[in-house]
Amino acid sequence: MEMGLRFFGYLGTVLLLFGVLGAVIMQSFTGQPLIVLHLVLGVLCLAAWAVTSGFSSLSKATAVISGRTARFGYNVAFYTIVFVGLLVVANVFATMHDWRWDLTQEGVYSLSEKSRKVLEGLKAPVRLVAVDNPAVQDKEQTRQLLKLYKYSNDKMVSTELVDPAARPLEVEALGMKAGNLMLIEYGEGAAKAVSRINTVDEQSVTNAIVKLSRGAAKKLYYVQGHGEPGLDSAAAGGMKQFADGLSDEHLTVEGLLLAQAGSVPEDAAAVVLAAPKRPLQESERQALIQYAEKGGRLVLFANAEDRDADDVRAIAKAFGIEVGRDIILDEQLRLFAGPQLGVQFVAQGFAPHPITSGTIKSEPPVFSFASSVLAPSGKAPGVTYTELVKAGPKSWAERNLDLIFDSENPSASLDPEDLKGPVSVAVAMEKRLPQEGGKAEGEGEKVARVVVFGDASWIENGNFGLYGNRDLALNVVNWSAGEEGNIAIGPKKIKSSNAPFERSKFLSILALSFVGPEIILIFGLFVWWRRRSLFA
């Protein structure tokens, strides 16, 4: 009888453990009858064993300590200590030699092969410093991304996550501006190159490292001398934030007086002409046109509010791009006011192009007083035109500007001569120049790129930080300068299998998978206990 009751101790332990395990899986200790039954029977069995065996065990304690059972107990304790020691050694070894296995089909928890190749080929150390910005929703994703870059090449990559609330002086010393989420440094000492990015994902970080590893920053020239917004001006109509954004992209920008220089410098990666208020000389116009025709990169921003400035229109026309003498009107949804027409609008249409990639569609740019920009209808060999950004389908380009600029009663209506929407705001042209004699296909090939926008105010300080304006502006300059990045890393997602499953079937399968191993374990314990009691 005593031996039989002793088995209740083993049985109660198994029932109680399986009950707790089931409760953890189901996240409830009272919601399932099977779990409650396990817990109750487990407690009752343990109570029966304790009542029947507790007193007799106390009287036999001295004999047990010196008997054969004690020797077995000592051996078990010794082997347990050895096993725990091996676990400690294995854990220390695993810490010193970190190995990771990503078993997901899409490689969600590891860097792409392209990023790993970039990190393996580093010639100088890389430092990644992320700012723990409260505006970032998924902070854990940033932490995991830093760990992946560190793990891929821990000898050349160092990572750090800085809390601006706890260490504000350090964030200020890093030169982080509004919107910057990560600082990337490549190299050491005087040769160190720096980039700051506003989007923390694998593609942005890897492309920034690639750009820094290429060496000296490419140089952009900003045409000056005609009343263009100042690069150093922090006023609402200045371009300081635009210039700072280019610096964050590892691009240098320098002013250019074409009338004095006579031509575009040879080291120009691209030239920017933004809203000149005074006319350019004819020689200056021709210098820009000839530069682009020979394989240069030109970015033009018109200013529809300045109706006398025709230089951007004339230069764009030389490449077949038409900048209209009009202003785009589009519907705006205002709280408690319903849809209303306005000269400021959020872009709604985007053509597939490197300039419009990334977060542009989810965070669209905002334009105001923009002119229409149209690509030619015909096709020329080797030339590609793309109408990048468009206003909404109910927009139109109003050509009677006197109605809009009437200070007493501004108004407008869609007339037959107006251009119906969706109206294009920007056009990108890419032209492959003929090969020089004796060179194979693709060898020494030059590609001319011209981008024209019908609005310049969206890149000024007052609007540069709105919605997706910053990202679009930097995409424009990067693509024009040939820095659009040759590494495209798509988003990774775990493939889900959402097959419908009835709750009753789920509980039946859970019960079978739960009770089956339990019965096997209890049966094994019973056989062991039976053999032990027979030969005891």
Side-chain angles (χ1 to χ4, degrees), residues 30 74 104 172 203-204 222 226 228 238 253 267 306 311 377 407 439 464 482:
T30 59
Y74 299 149
T104 59
E172 184 179 352
Q203 179 166 302
S204 301
Y222 181 82
H226 317 91
E228 294 88 354
V253 57
D267 61 347
D306 189 358
D311 294 296
S377 56
S407 59
K439 290 189 177 182
F464 191 71

Side-chain angles (χ1 to χ4, degrees), residues 160-494:
E160 188 177 354
L161 186 64
V162 180
D163 186 353
R167 299 151 67 184
L169 296 179
E170 185 172 345
V171 174
E172 184 179 352
L174 294 173
M176 305 297 277
K177 309 177 188 68
N180 292 158
L181 297 179
M182 180 177 286
L183 170 76
I184 303 173
E185 294 180 348
Y186 180 85
E188 296 176 308
K192 180 173 60 178
V194 178
S195 178
R196 298 172 182 85
I197 59 177
N198 284 35
T199 303
V200 180
D201 55 33
E202 183 183 348
Q203 179 166 302
S204 301
V205 175
T206 299
N207 279 328
I209 295 174
V210 170
K211 187 183 295 185
L212 293 175
S213 64
R214 289 175 180 170
K218 289 187 176 181
K219 182 179 289 188
L220 306 177
Y221 285 93
Y222 181 82
V223 178
Q224 295 178 329
H226 317 91
E228 294 88 354
L231 285 175
D232 299 327
S233 174
M239 290 285 192
K240 188 176 188 307
Q241 292 185 22
F242 177 65
D244 290 342
L246 297 179
S247 177
D248 291 343
E249 293 287 306
H250 192 52
L251 297 168
T252 60
V253 57
E254 184 177 313
L256 174 62
L257 294 172
L258 268 176
Q260 179 179 342
S263 61
V264 176
E266 295 183 359
D267 61 347
V271 177
V272 178
L273 175 63
K277 291 181 173 57
R278 293 188 295 273
L280 276 70
Q281 298 179 14
E282 183 61 28
S283 60
E284 293 177 298
R285 286 189 188 181
Q286 292 303 318
L288 293 175
I289 293 173
Q290 292 174 8
Y291 161 72
E293 287 178 342
K294 294 179 181 179
R297 315 296 173 87
L298 197 57
V299 184
L300 307 174
F301 298 95
N303 188 358
E305 297 178 75
D306 189 358
R307 289 181 280 176
D308 297 328
D310 293 332
D311 294 296
V312 172
R313 292 186 179 91
I315 297 172
K317 186 67 175 177
F319 301 98
I321 301 173
E322 188 74 30
V323 180
R325 295 180 180 274
D326 49 36
I327 289 180
I328 299 174
L329 300 176
D330 199 359
E331 279 192 353
Q332 298 177 342
L333 293 177
R334 297 183 178 179
L335 191 62
F336 306 122
Q340 296 181 354
L341 285 175
V343 295
Q344 186 180 57
F345 61 91
V346 177
Q348 298 184 36
F350 304 93
H353 195 275
I355 289 178
T356 57
S357 63
T359 61
I360 302 300
K361 295 181 181 178
S362 59
E363 298 180 8
V366 180
F367 301 95
S368 59
F369 286 99
S371 297
S372 63
V373 183
L374 304 177
S377 56
K379 294 184 178 180
V383 183
T384 303
Y385 291 94
T386 305
E387 292 186 346
L388 298 170
V389 185
K390 294 184 178 182
K394 295 183 179 180
S395 64
W396 78 84
E398 177 61 52
R399 291 177 176 171
N400 191 346
L401 301 183
D402 293 333
L403 294 176
I404 297 177
F405 289 106
D406 187 344
S407 59
E408 296 182 358
N409 185 28
S411 61
S413 60
L414 179 59
D415 300 318
E417 65 269 16
D418 295 330
L419 180 64
K420 295 183 179 180
V423 184
S424 172
V425 188
V427 169
M429 184 213 77
E430 187 174 49
K431 180 179 181 181
R432 299 190 177 278
L433 303 183
Q435 297 291 315
E436 298 180 4
K439 290 189 177 182
E441 181 84 17
E443 184 181 351
E445 184 181 38
K446 287 187 176 181
V447 179
R449 290 178 174 176
V450 178
V451 183
V452 183
F453 275 83
D455 178 27
S457 62
W458 65 282
I459 61 171
E460 295 175 353
N461 294 334
N463 300 314
F464 191 71
L466 293 177
Y467 294 92
N469 287 10
R470 183 186 190 278
D471 291 342
L472 179 61
L474 298 182
N475 282 3
V476 168
V477 177
N478 275 317
W479 180 79
S480 301
E483 287 289 331
E484 66 271 26
N486 55 358
I487 295 179
I489 303 170
K492 302 175 182 178
K493 295 181 179 179
I494 298 177

Side-chain angles (χ1 to χ4, degrees), residues 12-231:
T13 302
V14 173
L15 291 174
L16 192 62
L17 289 177
F18 271 83
V20 173
L21 178 61
V24 171
I25 294 175
M26 299 301 296
Q27 298 182 351
S28 173
F29 280 87
T30 59
Q32 301 299 327
L34 184 62
I35 294 174
V36 175
L37 181 62
H38 274 72
L39 295 175
V40 172
L41 290 178
V43 172
L44 291 177
C45 290
L46 287 175
W49 168 80
V51 170
T52 57
S53 302
F55 296 107
S56 60
S57 298
L58 182 62
S59 62
K60 299 177 182 179
T62 306
V64 170
I65 293 175
S66 58
R68 187 178 63 175
T69 305
R71 291 195 298 271
F72 284 114
Y74 299 149
N75 289 335
V76 170
F78 173 74
Y79 288 123
T80 301
I81 294 173
V82 172
F83 178 71
V84 172
L86 290 175
L87 287 179
V88 172
V89 172
N91 187 56
V92 173
F93 182 80
T95 303
M96 297 174 60
H97 304 277
D98 187 15
W99 293 330
R100 297 170 59 98
W101 291 274
D102 188 352
L103 302 180
T104 59
Q105 183 178 356
E106 296 294 320
V108 176
Y109 303 110
S110 59
L111 295 179
S112 66
E113 184 179 355
K114 296 177 181 178
S115 295
R116 291 197 298 270
K117 286 183 178 179
V118 170
L119 297 174
E120 291 170 0
L122 289 175
K123 300 294 190 298
V126 170
R127 181 189 178 206
L128 306 178
V129 183
V131 176
D132 193 5
N133 196 315
V136 179
Q137 295 181 354
D138 195 351
K139 299 180 181 180
E140 184 61 27
Q141 182 178 355
T142 300
R143 294 187 179 92
Q144 293 301 324
L145 189 64
L146 290 175
K147 290 181 180 179
L148 290 177
Y149 276 91
K150 176 70 175 176
Y151 173 76
S152 297
N153 191 344
D154 59 347
K155 294 182 179 179
M156 301 294 287
V157 178
S158 61
T159 61
E160 188 177 354
L161 186 64
V162 180
D163 186 353
R167 299 151 67 184
L169 296 179
E170 185 172 345
V171 174
E172 184 179 352
L174 294 173
M176 305 297 277
K177 309 177 188 68
N180 292 158
L181 297 179
M182 180 177 286
L183 170 76
I184 303 173
E185 294 180 348
Y186 180 85
E188 296 176 308
K192 180 173 60 178
V194 178
S195 178
R196 298 172 182 85
I197 59 177
N198 284 35
T199 303
V200 180
D201 55 33
E202 183 183 348
Q203 179 166 302
S204 301
V205 175
T206 299
N207 279 328
I209 295 174
V210 170
K211 187 183 295 185
L212 293 175
S213 64
R214 289 175 180 170
K218 289 187 176 181
K219 182 179 289 188
L220 306 177
Y221 285 93
Y222 181 82
V223 178
Q224 295 178 329
H226 317 91
E228 294 88 354
L231 285 175

